[in-house]
Amino acid sequence: MAGSRHDDFFGRRKGRPLRASPDAILSARLPALRIDIETPPPDDLRQLFPVTVDTVRLEIGFGGGEHLLHSARAEPATGFIGVEPFINGMAKCVAVIDREGIENTRLYDADAGPLLAWLPDRSLARIDLLYPDPWPKRRHWKRRFVSTANLAQIARILRPGGEFRFATDIEHYANWTLNMVWCATDLGWVARTADDWRAPWPGWPGTRYETKAIAEMRKPAYFIFQKKPDDGASDG
């Protein structure tokens, strides 16, 4: 991604001013939860968490944190890294983590590009990209997160057999992503029937954005792409 602005993939960073309580919680708790990419990554990403976890997953652009928090509660043996540059969404998520004492999450409050570059090879079991900004105008398509460069990074940091999950309600972005993955030789689409991409994944809790999309008669699509095996790679 040399020569490009990392924040090209996102729009605004702030919404309405935070109330005193969320702002105080964000200031107090985020420093301990934030991943510091100015330091070298650990050899084993499980070391990022204060509790024992078996595997590590990444969610890019978690919005208000509904899916990230649901996953962290449901799978306490998995470590979750959540990325969200929108301050108001980050504040909501941090407040819940603080209130519920959730310990298997780490957060990153900037564009995902530098974090992807920081993460070690074959270090993640799964990456979720759920309802990203579709940048619908043709002149903005270059700002879509799904790109040749980002898919190469995703394939690099996924372990063999790991999954890249992508959900969108925008047909053009769905087709765009399929075409991009088709050219990414390290990733393969695992669908066998139409229901494999038309129906939500098992255990899917839904999101507020998805509810809005369905109410506006847009049909979501749910894709799973799998990292192909490579010689000499570890499944650890």
Side-chain angles (χ1 to χ4, degrees):
M1 296 181 65
S4 66
R5 288 178 52 204
H6 285 306
D7 60 355
D8 279 349
F9 304 109
F10 294 93
R12 58 184 186 150
R13 292 293 303 274
K14 294 183 179 180
R16 296 178 180 177
L18 295 175
R19 295 174 305 191
S21 179
D23 189 34
I25 294 172
L26 186 68
S27 298
R29 293 287 288 125
L30 183 57
L33 294 167
R34 182 191 285 121
I35 289 178
D36 180 8
I37 66 169
E38 297 303 316
T39 61
D43 293 333
D44 187 335
L45 287 186
R46 293 176 294 184
Q47 298 171 8
L48 291 172
F49 302 88
V51 293
T52 300
V53 297
D54 298 328
T55 58
V56 180
R57 285 166 35 185
L58 170 69
E59 183 171 336
I60 300 170
F62 60 70
E66 300 98 331
H67 180 265
L68 178 70
L69 294 166
H70 171 87
S71 300
R73 295 185 195 103
E75 302 179 54
T78 298
F80 293 89
I81 299 173
V83 178
E84 181 52 63
F86 186 50
I87 293 174
N88 297 61
M90 179 63 71
K92 290 180 182 178
C93 187
V94 170
V96 176
I97 290 173
D98 182 68
R99 183 173 66 248
E100 298 185 13
I102 297 172
E103 295 188 290
N104 59 329
T105 57
R106 284 293 174 265
L107 304 174
Y108 186 71
D109 58 338
D111 180 81
L115 177 68
L116 293 183
W118 179 84
L119 289 165
D121 294 358
R122 299 189 293 273
S123 59
L124 297 176
R126 195 171 110 190
I127 298 172
D128 293 340
L129 179 64
L130 311 176
Y131 296 101
D133 193 324
W135 296 107
K137 295 181 180 179
R138 186 182 184 92
R139 67 178 182 272
H140 293 154
W141 288 353
K142 63 185 178 181
R143 301 179 71 176
R144 288 177 170 176
F145 191 84
V146 176
S147 65
T148 300
N150 282 339
L151 286 177
Q153 288 282 44
I154 286 170
R156 178 186 66 80
I157 60 182
L158 277 176
R159 67 188 189 185
E163 294 179 350
F164 169 45
R165 294 193 177 193
F166 173 76
T168 184
D169 61 310
I170 305 300
E171 183 177 0
H172 188 273
Y173 203 177
N175 291 332
W176 166 285
T177 298
L178 288 172
N179 286 332
M180 286 282 182
V181 172
W182 182 261
C183 297
T185 56
D186 290 332
L187 298 171
W189 187 20
V190 303
R192 296 292 180 267
T193 69
D195 281 346
D196 289 337
W197 59 270
R198 289 177 179 169
W201 305 304
W204 171 250
T207 69
R208 284 179 294 173
Y209 184 87
E210 179 187 63
T211 299
K212 179 181 177 182
I214 293 172
E216 294 176 359
M217 307 301 291
R218 295 192 301 274
K219 295 182 179 180
Y222 309 87
F223 299 110
I224 297 178
F225 306 107
Q226 192 170 56
K227 169 74 174 291
K228 297 176 182 178
D230 54 18
D231 294 336
S234 170
D235 284 345

